[in-house]
């Protein structure tokens, strides 16, 4: 969807009037008639409304869609805002595509890769200890996290910088440019109004990211959860090393009460968990850029 938004922005800058999505569909079909989407998910109301018009134009031009997803078409964007406007897109998918169930396979191969864990990528600690009377040194996980950062940035000058993306500047509070290493607090990246374009700019510039003070997330933190999902996706897809200091282990990082209802983000976070598992594996680290 980031690519679609970029194309829409370019068309607007060119002074084109009216619906830009048919023009974008023309461009996409010229590049390839078969479009493949891995882990198709809809969590954003703007994307939900764009997808209906875009896919209609693609199908009209003979486009072929192949996708994997944790949800059936009928369950896409479940409980989302203005979902009634999205329902015709579900009808279109069910009409134009064949749904093949793979529920008989219970294996998440990212977790299989993640079983061979590397040391020094995920540290447990209290992200709120600085606000307590306890000595910060009692957070052993933070000490070990800091130690890895010190080892990788040894004798290097640590500074800050800005990255430019789509007319905005993204602050990188701590980094060593020559070593392609950056360090952020969780709320630097997920508490601020950042999006996929910002996270991709960070992933393009740095090969190693230190992310500290991740609290246990709850359903009430939905905006923060969405950003974290997007951040992990951007880093994973760009093969960035992610070194984490968090309050809880990966499987306890996002907790949902039984009566909280069903949200697409709950399903999407399952992907985030398995990606975090894989990102801490020896195989992933060996494949880094």
């Amino acid at each position: 969807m980031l690519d679609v938004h970029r194309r829409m922005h370019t068309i607007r800058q060119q002074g084109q009037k009216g619906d830009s999505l048919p023009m974008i569909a023309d461009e996409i079909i010229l590049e390839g008639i078969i479009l493949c989407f891995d882990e198709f998910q809809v969590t954003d109301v703007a994307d939900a409304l764009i997808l209906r018009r875009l896919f209609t134009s693609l199908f009209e031009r003979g486009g072929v869609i192949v996708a994997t997803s944790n949800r059936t078409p009928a369950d896409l964007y479940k409980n989302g805002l203005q979902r009634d406007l999205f329902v015709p897109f579900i009808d279109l998918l069910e009409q134009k595509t064949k749904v093949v169930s793979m529920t008989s396979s219970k294996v998440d191969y990212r977790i299989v890769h993640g079983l061979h864990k590397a040391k020094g990528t995920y540290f447990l600690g209290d992200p709120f200890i600085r606000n307590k009377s306890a000595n910060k040194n009692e957070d052993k996980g933070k000490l070990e996290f800091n130690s890895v950062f010190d080892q990788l940035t040894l004798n290097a000058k640590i500074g800050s910088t800005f990255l430019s993306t789509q007319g905005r500047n993204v602050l990188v509070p701590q980094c060593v440019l020559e070593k392609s290493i950056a360090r952020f607090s969780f709320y630097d990246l997920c508490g601020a109004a950042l999006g996929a374009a910002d996270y991709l700019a960070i992933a393009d510039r740095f090969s190693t990211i230190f992310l500290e003070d991740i609290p246990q997330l709850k359903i009430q933190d939905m905006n923060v959860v969405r950003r974290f999902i997007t951040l992990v996706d951007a880093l994973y897809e760009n093969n960035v090393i992610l070194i984490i200091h968090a309050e809880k282990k990966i499987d306890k990082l996002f907790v949902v009460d039984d009566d909280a209802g069903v949200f697409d983000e709950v399903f999407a976070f399952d992907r985030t968990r398995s990606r975090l598992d894989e990102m801490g594996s020896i195989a992933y680290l060996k494949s880094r850029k």
Side-chain angles (χ1 to χ4, degrees):
M1 287 307 297
L2 179 61
D3 178 64
V4 173
H5 285 294
R6 282 175 177 162
R7 293 177 193 246
M8 292 173 66
H9 179 69
T10 299
I11 290 173
R12 285 195 298 268
Q13 285 186 319
Q14 294 171 347
Q16 297 283 350
K17 303 297 183 181
D19 189 358
S20 60
L21 290 173
M23 289 182 279
I24 293 172
D26 288 334
E27 294 175 355
I28 293 173
I29 290 297
L30 286 174
E31 295 167 8
I33 197 169
I34 300 176
L35 284 80
C36 300
F37 298 90
D38 187 27
E39 302 189 43
F40 190 81
Q41 194 85 19
V42 184
T43 58
D44 180 83
V45 62
D47 288 347
L49 300 180
I50 288 171
L51 280 170
R52 175 189 171 188
R53 288 150 49 213
L54 176 63
F55 274 51
T56 297
S57 295
L58 290 171
F59 285 131
E60 288 174 349
R61 287 156 177 77
V64 176
I65 306 298
V66 180
T68 65
S69 179
N70 290 330
R71 312 295 296 270
T72 64
D75 286 336
L76 286 171
Y77 198 50
K78 194 168 186 177
N79 296 325
L81 294 173
Q82 297 179 284
R83 190 175 187 267
D84 57 314
L85 300 177
F86 184 72
V87 170
F89 174 64
I90 294 174
D91 296 337
L92 179 69
L93 281 182
E94 292 180 332
Q95 176 188 351
K96 294 289 189 178
T97 65
K98 179 180 180 180
V99 178
V100 179
S101 175
M102 300 181 68
T103 55
S104 60
S105 175
K106 302 297 184 182
V107 178
D108 185 332
Y109 289 95
R110 284 186 298 262
I111 292 178
V112 172
H113 287 306
L115 292 176
H116 303 285
K117 303 294 289 184
K119 293 182 178 180
T121 61
Y122 199 99
F123 300 95
L124 292 175
D126 187 345
F128 308 109
I129 201 167
R130 67 189 61 187
N131 298 322
K132 298 178 180 179
S133 59
N135 190 306
K136 286 174 62 175
N137 290 337
E138 291 182 10
D139 186 346
K140 183 181 177 182
K142 177 57 75 69
L143 289 176
E144 294 172 343
F145 177 88
N146 289 337
S147 176
V148 174
F149 181 76
D150 292 341
Q151 291 172 36
L152 294 184
T153 60
L154 185 64
N155 298 324
K157 182 180 179 180
I158 300 171
S160 61
T161 191
F162 285 93
L163 301 177
S164 296
T165 176
Q166 297 188 359
R168 294 184 299 174
N169 289 325
V170 180
L171 173 64
V172 183
Q174 295 185 66
C175 63
V176 179
L177 295 177
E178 61 269 27
K179 292 181 178 288
S180 193
I181 295 172
R183 178 170 177 167
F184 300 88
S185 77
F186 178 73
Y187 282 101
D188 284 339
L189 291 183
C190 300
L194 300 180
D198 306 302
Y199 300 141
L200 286 172
I202 292 169
D204 286 342
R205 180 59 187 85
F206 297 102
S207 61
T208 302
I209 301 294
F210 284 76
L211 186 62
E212 60 187 318
D213 299 335
I214 303 178
Q216 186 176 50
L217 302 170
K218 299 182 179 180
I219 203 74
Q220 293 85 353
D221 307 312
M222 190 55 72
N223 287 333
V224 173
V225 170
R226 290 190 187 104
R227 294 188 190 111
F228 186 53
I229 291 169
T230 304
L231 171 65
V232 172
D233 285 345
L235 299 182
Y236 177 87
E237 290 163 8
N238 283 273
N239 208 22
V240 174
I241 293 176
L242 180 60
I243 300 175
I244 284 176
H245 168 262
E247 182 179 12
K248 299 292 183 180
K249 293 181 179 180
I250 292 173
D251 62 337
K252 301 294 184 184
L253 204 52
F254 179 38
V255 293
V256 181
D257 296 332
D258 292 338
D259 59 351
V262 179
F263 295 85
D264 268 356
E265 290 80 4
V266 175
F267 288 86
F269 204 87
D270 286 339
R271 179 183 74 244
T272 299
R273 287 191 187 96
S274 59
R275 285 190 164 183
L276 289 173
D277 264 316
E278 185 183 349
M279 292 171 84
S281 70
I282 295 172
Y284 180 89
L285 297 180
K286 285 183 177 180
S287 69
R288 69 185 177 88
K289 65 180 182 180

